[in-house]
């Protein structure tokens, strides 16, 4: 986790907020914003840890250091866990998708930097929800879909643990936006060998972290470190964002 001194050095403003979901439920949000940002990323958590987990906070900090705003949020089932102390299972897609859509709509309508390029994504389950939002024209409102530049997936859950036959490829193949996948090459929810065999579509690019697991952690004997993998993951994200922005600019100039 970042110290207060470190955040002051790069002038990060952290603002909690509560908005209403489509069904009236509260959605807790954290805005991690910086001066003169170049882009903004909505970053959703996975099934097992909420928006304040060390992984989520570290990714947000590293992106902030790269002049990118981050919007983190909790799916309501996670707040319910915190309130009751019981580990409820994650909600299904019919609840997760509208929740994520409500966050996108709020950022587009009420964000302080409305003109900033918008990217969506998440960790594991959160990345699957993000990819699903841009894969089906019936899911996300057209005005919101048009605001999204691309999707960023960290540790995409290609299949459940020990169930490689239950593939979740549809959101990736159906995505109508560029997709970046950053994956540990020994991830139990989709390792490097498996992913290569899927022959992903051209709009999907996948970067592998050597010896990384689902949380990007390598084994000590590998010689790699978790911190180095986190920095590499964010470097790949920043490179991807910059390339998408360059490509989009070129397309827009051709239309003039």
């Amino acid at each position: 986790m970042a110290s207060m001194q470190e955040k002051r050095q790069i002038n990060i403003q952290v603002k909690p907020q509560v908005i209403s979901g489509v069904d009236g439920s509260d959605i807790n949000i954290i805005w991690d914003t910086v001066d003169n940002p170049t882009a903004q990323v909505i970053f959703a958590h996975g099934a097992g840890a909420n928006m304040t987990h060390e992984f989520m906070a570290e990714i947000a900090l590293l992106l902030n250091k790269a002049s990118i705003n981050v919007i983190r949020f909790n799916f309501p089932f996670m707040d319910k866990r915190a309130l009751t102390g019981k580990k409820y299972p994650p909600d299904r897609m019919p609840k997760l998708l509208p929740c994520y859509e409500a966050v996108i709509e709020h950022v587009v309508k009420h964000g302080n930097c409305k003109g900033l390029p918008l990217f969506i994504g998440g960790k594991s389950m959160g990345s699957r929800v993000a990819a699903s939002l841009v894969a089906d024209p019936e899911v996300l409102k057209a005005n919101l879909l048009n605001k999204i530049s691309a999707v960023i997936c960290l540790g995409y859950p290609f299949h459940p643990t020990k169930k490689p036959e239950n593939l979740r490829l549809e959101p990736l193949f159906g995505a109508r936006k560029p997709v970046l996948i950053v994956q540990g090459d020994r991830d139990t929810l989709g390792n490097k060998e498996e992913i290569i065999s899927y022959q992903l579509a051209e709009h999907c690019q996948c970067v592998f972290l050597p010896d990384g697991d689902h949380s990007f952690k390598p084994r000590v004997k590998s010689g790699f470190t978790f911190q180095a993998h986190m920095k590499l993951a964010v470097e790949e994200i920043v490179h991807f964002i910059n390339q998408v922005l360059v490509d989009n600019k070129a397309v827009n100039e051709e239309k003039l």
Side-chain angles (χ1 to χ4, degrees):
M1 299 285 286
S3 66
M4 289 303 296
Q5 181 179 3
E6 190 174 15
K7 288 187 176 182
R8 282 196 296 269
Q9 288 174 347
I10 53 177
N11 197 23
I12 300 174
Q13 290 95 45
V14 180
K15 176 188 173 184
Q17 187 180 28
V18 181
I19 68 171
S20 294
V22 177
D23 61 356
S25 61
D26 288 343
I27 303 174
N28 284 286
I29 294 177
I30 295 176
W31 296 78
D32 300 288
T33 60
V34 295
D35 296 333
N36 303 313
T38 58
Q40 54 190 340
V41 176
I42 302 177
F43 189 45
H45 63 76
N50 67 20
M51 65 179 173
T52 62
H53 185 268
E54 181 182 7
F55 183 99
M56 301 289 294
E58 183 68 9
I59 291 292
L61 172 63
L62 292 172
L63 286 171
N64 283 165
K65 286 183 175 181
S67 299
I68 296 171
N69 285 347
V70 179
I71 302 96
R72 293 177 276 162
F73 70 95
N74 275 348
F75 290 108
F77 78 85
M78 194 59 77
D79 286 330
K80 187 178 179 182
R81 287 182 183 180
L83 186 64
T84 64
K86 298 179 181 179
K87 193 171 182 179
Y88 291 94
D91 290 325
R92 300 290 185 178
M93 280 291 172
K95 284 191 175 182
L96 298 176
L97 291 168
C99 175
Y100 205 136
E101 180 178 3
V103 176
I104 295 172
E105 187 160 26
H106 181 78
V107 171
V108 168
K109 288 185 176 180
H110 306 291
N112 293 331
C113 301
K114 294 181 182 179
L116 273 183
L118 176 62
F119 294 76
I120 65 171
K123 174 69 173 75
S124 193
M125 181 197 75
S127 72
R128 183 185 173 201
V129 179
S132 298
L133 282 169
V134 301
D136 187 339
E138 301 299 321
V139 172
L140 192 61
K141 297 172 186 174
N143 67 307
L144 298 180
L145 181 63
N146 292 337
K147 295 289 186 179
I148 296 169
S149 298
V151 179
I152 299 164
C153 302
L154 304 187
Y156 185 84
F158 285 88
H159 56 71
T161 303
K162 297 182 180 180
K163 293 183 179 180
E165 70 280 1
N166 294 350
L167 291 177
R168 299 160 173 162
L169 299 177
E170 291 86 354
L172 299 178
F173 280 103
R176 291 172 292 156
K177 301 286 181 176
V179 178
L180 172 69
I181 302 164
V182 182
Q183 199 87 352
D185 64 16
R186 59 183 184 90
D187 192 325
T188 55
L189 278 67
N191 61 43
K192 183 176 182 179
E193 183 179 355
E194 291 172 333
I195 295 169
I196 290 174
S197 73
Y198 301 149
Q199 298 182 331
L200 297 177
E202 288 187 7
H203 63 263
C204 297
Q205 54 180 287
C206 193
V207 176
F208 296 100
L209 302 177
D211 203 64
D213 64 8
H214 188 57
S215 297
F216 298 169
K217 293 180 180 178
R219 292 165 292 192
V220 174
K221 66 179 181 180
S222 71
F224 298 100
T225 67
F226 173 64
Q227 200 63 34
H229 275 1
M230 293 290 276
K231 289 181 179 179
L232 177 57
V234 170
E235 287 173 4
E236 293 291 349
I237 293 171
V238 172
H239 176 73
F240 174 73
I241 287 174
N242 290 337
Q243 188 58 57
V244 169
L245 296 184
V246 169
D247 293 344
N248 287 349
K249 183 180 179 181
V251 170
N252 290 334
E253 288 177 349
E254 287 181 2
K255 292 180 180 179
L256 297 177

